[in-house]
């Protein structure tokens, strides 16, 4: 069970979580050929389980017509999917016994239905903290969650949290530079699969999770990361939340497919020391049924800027309904303290309880 600070308890939001645990960690060498980079997953996951889990996600997420549409892509993979992703996807299919088309479909299935909450906040000393819950309507993903550390020339280049068999990242950290999380934008839905498909394979736009990974690897600093995440065309609308290493380096980027719809930075000098992003534009009210934004705002205000840190941020993210029945994992991170990157899998999600 999560131990709550008095301020969070006073917010009137209590949750019970059982059995939270860190996911396994795999190391990926970017010096290796793309086709063999993900072999280390075999040390952690059973191949039979991976095949079964992939089939479950695909069968319940992907329209049948997509299976037929992917066939020409399989025949000319390098034409439609850039490196290193084409090689990594080929390697996953080869080493884990799945069909190439299924691995392609699986990677694009994760580009939809990622219901999330992300928070970036600054304390009174100017330290930046970043946390996120990833919600997904497939409980099996809790058993596929993995922390991935990417090395180059023997040094950590970046790290993130992902799912076995998936080459993208929705959560990640470039040490001593910046952190990123991605949240699905609420006005884009699963029935827009065809738009994502056209954007990816005909217009050569990047999946949102691939742009996260590329930014973590290539961007020099917070400002560079924000520029890349704002301007590079992507296959679907999304929110990118970015935290840096200096005071006021925190922002929510609301993305359309071709560019930014809104940039919402921290303004600590005006008392705007945190930003909460779920799956709906911050300038509009969320649906009446969704109280995550309201609950997070209430808990952050109860915590206070002077008391915000990675521990209290994790507490806020553990409150119902910020954490809920489909929450897969919670990650907290601060780029200036990369060793404190922490992911906890929520094996049972989170449930509200009345302690009165």
């Amino acid at each position: 069970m999560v131990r709550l600070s008095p301020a969070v308890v006073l917010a009137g939001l209590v949750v019970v979580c059982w059995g939270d645990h860190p996911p396994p960690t795999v190391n990926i060498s970017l010096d290796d050929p793309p086709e063999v980079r993900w072999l280390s997953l075999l040390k952690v996951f059973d191949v039979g389980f991976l095949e079964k889990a992939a089939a479950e996600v695909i069968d319940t997420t992907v329209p049948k017509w997509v299976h037929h549409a992917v066939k020409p892509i399989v025949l000319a993979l390098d034409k439609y999917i850039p490196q290193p992703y084409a090689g990594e996807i080929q390697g996953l299919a080869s080493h884990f016994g799945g069909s190439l088309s299924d691995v392609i479909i699986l990677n694009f299935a994760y580009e939809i239905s990622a219901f999330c909450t992300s928070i970036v906040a600054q304390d009174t000393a100017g330290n930046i903290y970043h946390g996120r819950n990833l919600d997904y309507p497939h409980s099996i993903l809790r058993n596929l969650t993995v922390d991935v550390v990417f090395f180059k020339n023997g040094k950590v280049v970046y790290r993130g949290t992902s799912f076995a068999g998936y080459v993208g990242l929705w959560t990640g950290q470039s040490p001593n530079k910046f952190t990123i999380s991605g949240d699905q934008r609420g006005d884009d839905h699963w029935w827009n699969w065809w738009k994502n498909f056209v954007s990816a394979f005909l217009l050569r736009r990047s999946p949102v999770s691939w742009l996260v990974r590329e930014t973590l690897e290539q961007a020099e600093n917070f400002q560079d990361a924000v520029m890349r995440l704002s301007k590079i065309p992507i296959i679907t609308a999304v929110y990118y939340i970015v935290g840096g290493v200096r005071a006021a380096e925190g922002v929510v980027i609301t993305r359309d497919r071709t560019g930014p719809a809104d940039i919402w930075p921290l303004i600590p000098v005006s008392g705007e020391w945190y930003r909460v992003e779920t799956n709906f534009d911050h300038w509009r009210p969320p649906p009446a049924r969704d109280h995550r934004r309201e609950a997070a705002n209430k808990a952050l205000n109860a915590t206070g800027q002077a008391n915000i840190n990675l521990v209290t941020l994790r507490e806020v993210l553990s409150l119902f309904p910020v954490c809920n029945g489909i929450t897969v994992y919670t990650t907290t991170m601060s780029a200036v303290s990369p060793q404190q990157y922490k992911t906890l899998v929520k094996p049972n999600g989170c449930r509200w309880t009345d302690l009165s």
Side-chain angles (χ1 to χ4, degrees):
M1 180 185 295
V2 177
R3 294 189 177 184
L4 302 175
S5 64
V8 172
V9 172
L10 287 173
L13 304 158
V14 181
V15 71
V16 175
C17 302
W18 296 274
D20 294 0
H21 60 85
T25 299
V26 297
N27 295 330
I28 302 296
S29 174
L30 297 172
D31 298 314
D32 290 338
E35 292 78 8
V36 301
R37 286 178 182 170
W38 293 95
L39 269 174
S40 55
L41 285 174
L42 289 174
K43 300 177 182 178
V44 178
F45 296 96
D46 174 75
V47 171
F49 169 74
L50 290 178
E51 291 177 348
K52 179 181 178 181
E56 178 180 320
V57 173
I58 290 171
D59 290 345
T60 57
T61 305
V62 183
K64 296 298 182 184
W65 67 264
V66 175
H67 294 260
H68 300 287
V70 166
K71 289 181 180 179
I73 296 169
V74 172
L75 297 175
L77 187 66
D78 289 331
K79 178 180 177 182
Y80 292 103
I81 297 180
Q83 293 294 351
Y85 308 110
E88 291 183 7
I89 288 171
Q90 286 175 319
L92 286 167
S94 173
H95 297 303
F96 298 107
S99 70
L100 185 54
S101 61
D102 280 352
V103 177
I104 293 171
I105 290 171
L106 182 67
N107 272 268
F108 282 88
Y110 290 136
E111 296 296 313
I112 60 172
S113 300
F115 303 104
C116 313
T117 300
S118 290
I119 299 171
V120 61
Q122 177 181 309
D123 68 12
T124 52
N127 299 305
I128 302 294
Y129 306 103
H130 189 166
R132 71 106 84 255
N133 285 343
L134 189 139
D135 303 343
Y136 207 100
H138 292 292
S139 60
I140 200 167
L141 294 182
R142 296 181 175 114
N143 296 323
L144 292 174
T145 303
V146 61
D147 276 347
V148 187
V149 184
F150 294 85
F151 289 83
K152 194 168 188 177
N153 298 322
K155 296 182 178 180
V156 175
V157 181
Y158 59 100
R159 69 180 299 159
T161 303
S162 191
F163 303 122
Y166 183 49
V167 300
L169 290 175
W170 283 88
T171 309
Q173 171 184 270
S174 179
N176 300 303
K177 293 181 181 179
F178 55 87
T179 54
I180 308 173
S181 61
D183 294 2
Q184 178 183 312
R185 191 176 176 194
D187 60 1
D188 228 27
H189 304 284
W190 66 266
W191 53 80
N192 281 330
W193 246 99
W194 68 272
K195 294 181 182 178
N196 297 348
F197 189 87
V198 169
S199 293
F201 298 119
L202 298 184
L203 301 180
R204 303 294 196 273
R205 292 176 181 167
S206 173
V208 296
S209 66
W210 294 6
L211 181 55
V212 170
R213 187 172 154 187
E214 290 162 13
T215 301
L216 289 166
E217 184 170 348
Q218 299 171 12
E220 294 296 326
N221 50 43
F222 171 82
Q223 290 80 9
D224 188 10
V226 171
M227 289 293 291
R228 291 169 183 262
L229 294 170
S230 298
K231 293 188 173 182
I232 295 176
I234 50 179
I235 70 171
T236 189
V238 72
Y239 302 104
Y240 287 127
I241 300 85
V242 192
V245 295
R246 296 180 179 86
E249 287 191 342
V251 68
V252 175
I253 305 165
T254 302
R255 279 297 310 265
D256 293 327
R257 286 183 169 85
T258 56
D262 182 74
I263 305 292
W264 191 34
L266 294 176
I267 314 177
V269 295
S270 299
E272 300 176 43
W273 58 272
Y274 68 81
R275 297 300 188 207
V276 175
E277 182 55 66
T278 56
N279 302 106
F280 306 98
D281 295 344
H282 70 85
W283 60 92
R284 297 172 177 158
R289 68 184 184 279
D290 189 338
H291 301 286
R292 291 173 298 158
R293 182 197 296 175
E294 175 189 357
N297 286 337
K298 185 176 182 181
L300 286 163
N301 289 331
T303 301
Q305 187 178 11
N307 297 312
I308 197 67
N309 53 51
L310 290 176
V311 174
T312 55
L313 180 57
R314 193 175 305 119
E315 291 176 355
V316 172
L317 288 164
S318 297
L319 297 174
F320 185 85
V322 183
C323 181
N324 52 72
I326 62 169
T327 299
V328 176
Y329 68 78
T330 298
T331 298
T332 49
M333 49 193 170
S334 179
V336 75
S337 301
Q339 72 281 1
Q340 295 192 59
Y341 184 100
K342 185 175 184 178
T343 295
L344 290 175
V345 177
K346 305 285 189 179
N348 301 291
C350 297
R351 298 288 189 272
W352 175 84
T353 186
D354 187 356
L355 297 185
S356 60

